[in-house]
Amino acid sequence: MSKNRTYNCKDVDMLLASKTIIESLRSNLSELSLVRSNWTEEYVKSTATKIDNTIETYLGLDTKKELRNASANLSAIQTPAIRDLSFLKKQLEVDFAAEKPKLKEMIKNLGFEKNFRKVQNSDQEGLIELLYAFKKGMTEELKTEIVAKGTNPQLIDSIIGYADQMSQANVSQETKKETSKAVTQEARISFNQIYTEIIGVCKIASSFYQYDALKKELFTFGKVLSNMNAPRKVEAINK
């Protein structure tokens, strides 16, 4: 259980127990409304609706789904980009093997010297840097010279195109990370608010019914949780 939660049970159990307690409040409202003026039909209805909406909005919500999709999209670009860069680099090394100074200058200007090792270690930022250096360094004059040696110009164009694709995919991934955190925090705040509200109801109602053990149990959070889980335990024993 996350330390940021104010309760020590599963989210679903907390919400279902809260819903049960609100229904008990509804059933005993004729008595309890006499000692608590804001416990009205409207209060019960609005609280029950809040719990239902929270269950509908957050239970079973996969906050990481969009992040996984964004990461998958990034990987889908990253793999062919690394493959094409490696393939082109090898062609340069073969085609300009007899022109060492020119080859060295090409490797430097196209970003390989500074970033290729990072790329081989799956460094996304390093790959983006390399792609933009490649895009900037690949002048029409240089492209013509490389193509004349036998490299397919479509390979060069593809690598240049990866630069913007990778940058956009990386931004999307980082944005989804922040969105995922925000949604998770939003759910946690909503859960905690409901728990705090229901515990307040329990404290007052259980005090009112302190001499009525059966009704007191209806407003004892731990007891409600235990009663909810009892059928599950019986099923487990019978299996």
Side-chain angles (χ1 to χ4, degrees), residues 97-201:
E99 304 172 75
K100 297 294 184 183
K102 179 177 287 189
L103 174 62
K104 184 177 180 180
E105 189 68 15
M106 284 183 186
I107 295 298
K108 180 179 180 180
N109 290 340
L110 293 176
F112 287 105
E113 183 178 272
K114 181 180 178 182
N115 297 297
F116 193 64
R117 187 171 294 278
K118 295 179 187 177
V119 171
Q120 290 177 314
N121 291 326
S122 301
D123 185 326
Q124 290 179 354
E125 285 71 25
L127 176 56
I128 292 172
E129 285 186 34
L130 173 50
L131 287 169
Y132 272 103
F134 185 95
K135 181 179 179 180
K136 184 179 180 179
M138 184 57 70
T139 63
E140 284 300 320
E141 182 182 355
L142 179 58
K143 181 180 178 180
T144 299
E145 189 173 2
I146 293 173
V147 169
K149 292 283 189 177
T151 295
N152 192 321
Q154 290 183 352
L155 176 63
I156 296 173
D157 293 339
S158 293
I159 294 173
I160 291 173
Y162 290 136
D164 290 338
Q165 292 178 44
M166 274 293 297
S167 179
Q168 291 169 8
N170 188 59
V171 169
S172 177
Q173 182 189 53
E174 295 305 314
T175 301
K176 298 304 180 186
K177 285 180 183 179
E178 295 306 314
T179 301
S180 176
K181 291 177 184 177
V183 172
T184 302
Q185 181 64 16
E186 184 180 285
R188 190 176 298 122
I189 290 171
S190 185
F191 292 163
N192 286 342
Q193 287 174 342
I194 288 173
Y195 178 73
T196 299
E197 182 74 22
I198 296 303
I199 284 298
V201 170

Side-chain angles (χ1 to χ4, degrees), residues 25-39:
L25 178 60
R26 189 195 303 275
S27 299
N28 294 277
L29 199 57
S30 59
E31 291 179 336
L32 292 170
S33 61
L34 298 177
V35 295
R36 188 76 174 171
S37 61
N38 68 330
W39 283 356

Side-chain angles (χ1 to χ4, degrees), residues 27-87:
S27 299
N28 294 277
L29 199 57
S30 59
E31 291 179 336
L32 292 170
S33 61
L34 298 177
V35 295
R36 188 76 174 171
S37 61
N38 68 330
W39 283 356
T40 62
E41 286 285 354
E42 182 58 35
Y43 171 78
V44 171
K45 181 180 179 181
S46 64
T47 305
T49 299
K50 181 179 180 180
I51 295 171
D52 287 340
N53 289 342
T54 300
I55 290 172
E56 180 69 24
T57 303
Y58 297 114
L59 276 194
L61 177 66
D62 186 353
T63 59
K64 303 292 185 182
K65 183 178 180 180
E66 289 190 356
L67 175 58
R68 288 198 303 273
N69 290 340
S71 297
N73 185 43
L74 186 61
S75 295
I77 301 168
Q78 181 174 332
T79 299
I82 294 174
R83 178 200 62 207
D84 289 354
L85 283 164
S86 299
F87 186 43

